[in-house]
Amino acid sequence: MARIEIKVPDIGSYKDIPVIELLVKPGDVIRKDQGLLTLESDKATMEVPSSDAGTVIELKVKVGDAVSEGMVVAVLEAGEASAPGTRDPGPVKAAVPAPTGAAPAPPTSPEASPRVPGPGSPVPTASPATDFSCQLLVLGAGPGGYTAAFRGADLGLDVILVERYAALGGVCLNVGCIPSKALLHAARVIDEAAHAADIGISFGAPQIDLDKLRGFKTKVVGKLTGGLAGMAKQRKVRVVQGEGKFSSPHTLTVQTADGPKVIGFEHAIIAAGSQAVKLPGLPWGDPRLMDSTDALELAETPEKLLVIGGGIIGLEMACVYDALGSEVTVVELFDQLMPGCDPDLVRPLAQRLGKRYAGIHLKTKVAAVTAQSDGLLATFEGDKAPAPTLFDRVLCAVGRSPNGKKIGAENAGVNVGERGFISVDKQMRTNVPHIFAIGDVVGQPMLAHKATHEGKVAAEVAAGHKSEFVARVIPSVAYTDPEIAWVGVTEGEAKAQGLNIGVGKFPHAASGRAIGIDRTEGFTKLIFDNDSHKIIGAGIVGPSAGDLIAETALAIEMGCDAADIGLTIHPHPTLSESVGMAAEVFEGTITDLYIPKKKG
């Protein structure tokens, strides 16, 4: 048999391009135009195809070598590629260069990549060392993970989705965002019924059936997770239940009910999420000490509840238990509730909770929690720390930590930071080019709506599309009562950075809609660049703040200035009017308020 040298073809003006991945090994039977290796410059990713069919005898390069046009990269023994189980991905083309400054782009279409066949192409078969094989593996089926899996399937990839929970949806749908919002709805109904007495409508004390309330929460979760299962089936996404860990750069081992299963993949997206932080030194073996997942179970309505952590999760669950009848105490280590949020936004919430809760203690640390037969005894540290107090239950809600160190990432060569975060570029690639990461494991903010957008980007890049995560801002929402929402630059951040800003603030006390529902404690605040008058941030506190903030996020993404927002006709009477009126306050055109002109 004749031996054939495979050389780097014409790759334009590129020279000395590093090899980042070898796609074949000696002994492989390949077809003409099959990809042999992947190159990556600072502006493009491309694959070197084989000019002939045959068996690979020798590879002349290794990962890290630099190659240029005409260099020999492999030696083949000529012959037709007919061995069973070998891949037939079709022709290979170089990638279109990515935009200047962007992360390297993979081939631009499914047809352009031997690892990403387009719709209708043969699905890779499992090798003897694997139980399943796929083009795209997604580890974690939370909002980011299932979005990535579904987007990948829509682009023609064969997808396997690995999830540790029995139902799709991850933490968010099963034990996070969705069940907590179902319970917060119940809390809101209780509060509104009590508030109705102030306007002449009395319902009497609520009769709470915890079993039925739990059933409602379960029904809400089941409806959404069931819908995801149906969509996975429609898209032919295969779901493997169990805890997965990487065993090599191209395999993942999943501990299933039927024993360990090995999945081979060409691309992978890590969407492993995060877990609640458990403060050390607390009696975690006692069921009366809860994390956020435990709190959602509603095992009982404790007479006295301590919430450790005055952030979003802690305050949301405090609102639920307060409405159900618990006497709530909140302890926060920092000097304000909801650290990171502008103090003026937090103030209306803090004032309302101060009247309802047994205590809110800032700059206070829980020194110890001791389990006793009649409750959990908490002791505190701080300038104004309360005396040791006995509680029926304690909720620890001090944040979440990423799961980056729990997935065997080192076996795949993926770098994981000391705290468990995984660094990615704008295309959501890790340091291993065919492995991506999204959601909580890639850093703050740990929000589902961030993860979904990152998931789409990762799936699109894996499918050979030019895509980047380029969100200018990501909104945050606390579904407390009142709600607090903010997006973009906060007023505190702007001042710390020395930005030249102007603020337009419209009080809900001047809103016809807010007055009509007797909820006037809030306001809408817009932050503008004083030079360009463009909006760069916003904060809203009051009913439906989480819905209202979306308009301001869009305005920032679109580069709107104050006039754009103020001249947009908002429906009357609505709370959304406050957004336009806040812009008018900044512009000095507001008529719904009287603001004396400054003398000068």
Side-chain angles (χ1 to χ4, degrees):
M1 287 286 188
R3 295 196 171 192
I4 302 170
E5 291 185 337
I6 307 299
K7 301 179 180 180
V8 178
D10 180 3
I11 52 176
S13 60
Y14 297 106
K15 293 181 180 180
D16 298 324
I17 308 177
V19 177
I20 64 168
E21 187 176 13
L22 299 177
L23 304 176
V24 297
K25 61 184 184 299
D28 283 357
V29 179
I30 63 173
R31 301 190 58 157
K32 182 178 179 181
D33 290 325
Q34 182 170 335
L36 302 177
L37 48 95
T38 304
L39 310 178
E40 182 174 88
S41 73
D42 59 347
K43 292 186 178 181
T45 301
M46 60 194 77
E47 291 183 356
V48 174
S50 177
S51 57
D52 292 87
T55 302
V56 178
I57 297 176
E58 182 183 5
L59 290 173
K60 294 286 189 179
V61 294
K62 61 183 182 299
V63 172
D65 289 350
V67 302
S68 302
E69 180 182 344
M71 285 185 60
V72 177
V73 294
V75 178
L76 302 185
E77 187 174 80
E80 289 299 319
S82 57
T86 55
R87 295 182 297 178
D88 180 14
V92 181
K93 301 175 184 177
V96 176
T100 302
T108 57
S109 69
E111 292 78 10
S113 170
R115 294 167 293 152
V116 190
S121 299
V123 173
T125 57
S127 72
T130 61
D131 298 286
F132 309 103
S133 185
C134 63
Q135 294 167 299
L136 176 63
L137 177 138
V138 180
L139 177 59
Y146 74 70
T147 296
F150 293 174
R151 181 62 176 147
D154 290 345
L155 292 172
L157 304 183
D158 174 50
V159 181
I160 288 180
L161 181 57
V162 176
E163 172 54 52
R164 57 179 171 156
Y165 287 108
L168 300 183
V171 168
C172 180
L173 265 68
N174 287 283
V175 291
C177 317
I178 298 304
S180 67
K181 302 313 168 284
L183 296 181
L184 282 163
H185 168 67
R188 181 179 176 183
V189 170
I190 294 170
D191 286 342
E192 289 188 344
H195 179 63
D198 296 336
I199 59 174
I201 305 171
S202 296
F203 293 96
Q207 301 298 312
I208 298 172
D209 184 335
L210 274 185
D211 290 335
K212 198 166 185 177
L213 183 55
R214 280 191 223 101
F216 166 70
K217 178 202 69 172
T218 302
K219 181 180 179 181
V220 169
V221 171
K223 188 170 185 178
L224 287 167
T225 57
L228 290 178
M231 286 192 287
K233 182 176 288 188
Q234 290 170 330
R235 287 178 163 90
K236 295 181 173 56
V237 171
R238 290 176 284 167
V239 177
V240 176
Q241 185 196 345
E243 191 165 320
K245 291 187 177 182
F246 288 96
S247 42
S248 80
H250 282 281
T251 58
L252 184 92
T253 300
V254 184
Q255 299 299 327
T256 74
D258 298 322
K261 301 293 180 183
V262 179
I263 303 173
F265 59 84
E266 296 177 356
H267 292 84
I269 297 175
I270 299 170
S274 63
Q275 62 179 354
V277 172
K278 293 182 181 290
L279 287 178
L282 300 185
W284 285 106
D286 193 309
R288 295 170 297 182
L289 176 61
M290 308 180 292
D291 61 17
S292 57
T293 299
D294 302 323
L296 289 168
E297 292 298 319
L298 287 184
E300 63 176 358
T301 301
E303 183 177 338
K304 296 179 67 174
L305 171 69
L306 171 65
V307 177
I308 305 174
I312 291 177
I313 295 175
L315 291 180
E316 287 184 352
M317 293 312 301
C319 284
V320 170
Y321 278 91
D322 170 61
L324 294 177
S326 294
E327 180 183 287
V328 176
T329 299
V330 176
V331 173
E332 169 56 48
L333 189 61
F334 290 94
D335 59 359
Q336 74 166 52
L337 295 176
M338 226 169 287
C341 182
D342 277 337
D344 60 342
L345 288 171
V346 179
R347 196 168 298 120
L349 173 66
Q351 290 173 344
R352 184 173 189 271
L353 299 187
K355 298 174 183 177
R356 298 177 62 97
Y357 292 2
I360 297 177
H361 304 286
L362 305 178
K363 294 194 291 185
T364 301
K365 176 183 178 181
V366 175
V369 175
T370 305
Q372 299 183 173
S373 59
D374 54 348
L376 298 175
L377 180 66
T379 56
F380 308 94
E381 293 178 357
D383 293 342
K384 297 181 180 180
T389 308
L390 193 68
F391 295 92
D392 298 292
R393 282 184 176 259
V394 174
L395 165 61
C396 181
V398 294
R400 301 187 65 82
S401 61
N403 289 327
K405 290 192 173 184
K406 298 190 172 187
I407 56 174
E410 66 280 1
N411 298 325
V414 175
N415 293 335
V416 181
E418 189 174 327
R419 295 174 57 200
F421 289 110
I422 298 174
S423 295
V424 293
D425 61 18
K426 290 182 179 179
Q427 292 186 311
M428 311 314 298
R429 291 183 189 270
T430 68
N431 62 295
V432 179
H434 67 277
I435 299 179
F436 304 78
I438 63 171
D440 289 1
V441 294
V442 304
Q444 300 288 357
M446 291 184 174
L447 298 171
H449 44 276
K450 175 184 78 99
T452 58
H453 285 264
E454 292 173 337
K456 284 186 178 180
V457 169
E460 288 165 359
V461 175
H465 290 249
K466 292 174 66 176
S467 185
E468 291 182 350
F469 183 69
V470 291
R472 295 178 65 182
V473 292
I474 301 169
S476 296
V477 182
Y479 296 91
T480 48
D481 187 12
E483 291 183 3
I484 301 176
W486 65 98
V487 67
V489 178
T490 67
E491 198 170 355
E493 289 170 342
K495 291 177 180 176
Q497 296 171 25
L499 301 180
N500 181 21
I501 63 166
V503 176
K505 183 184 289 189
F506 185 82
H508 291 180
S511 162
R513 179 63 172 168
I515 293 171
I517 61 174
D518 198 22
R519 292 299 301 269
T520 59
E521 70 272 26
F523 60 85
T524 296
K525 176 174 69 173
L526 304 184
I527 301 170
F528 298 93
D529 176 84
N530 261 336
D531 297 322
S532 66
H533 282 207
K534 287 189 176 181
I535 182 172
I536 59 173
I540 305 173
V541 55
S544 303
D547 296 307
L548 298 175
I549 203 68
E551 178 185 353
T552 65
L554 178 61
I556 297 172
E557 290 284 355
M558 297 292 291
C560 294
D561 60 25
D564 293 325
I565 301 170
L567 291 173
T568 298
I569 299 176
H570 292 75
H572 174 78
T574 62
L575 294 174
S576 70
E577 285 178 295
S578 66
V579 176
M581 290 176 178
E584 290 180 349
V585 169
F586 172 77
E587 286 281 273
T589 60
I590 186 73
T591 56
D592 282 62
L593 293 175
Y594 175 66
I595 302 177
K597 293 183 179 180
K598 295 180 181 179
K599 296 180 181 180

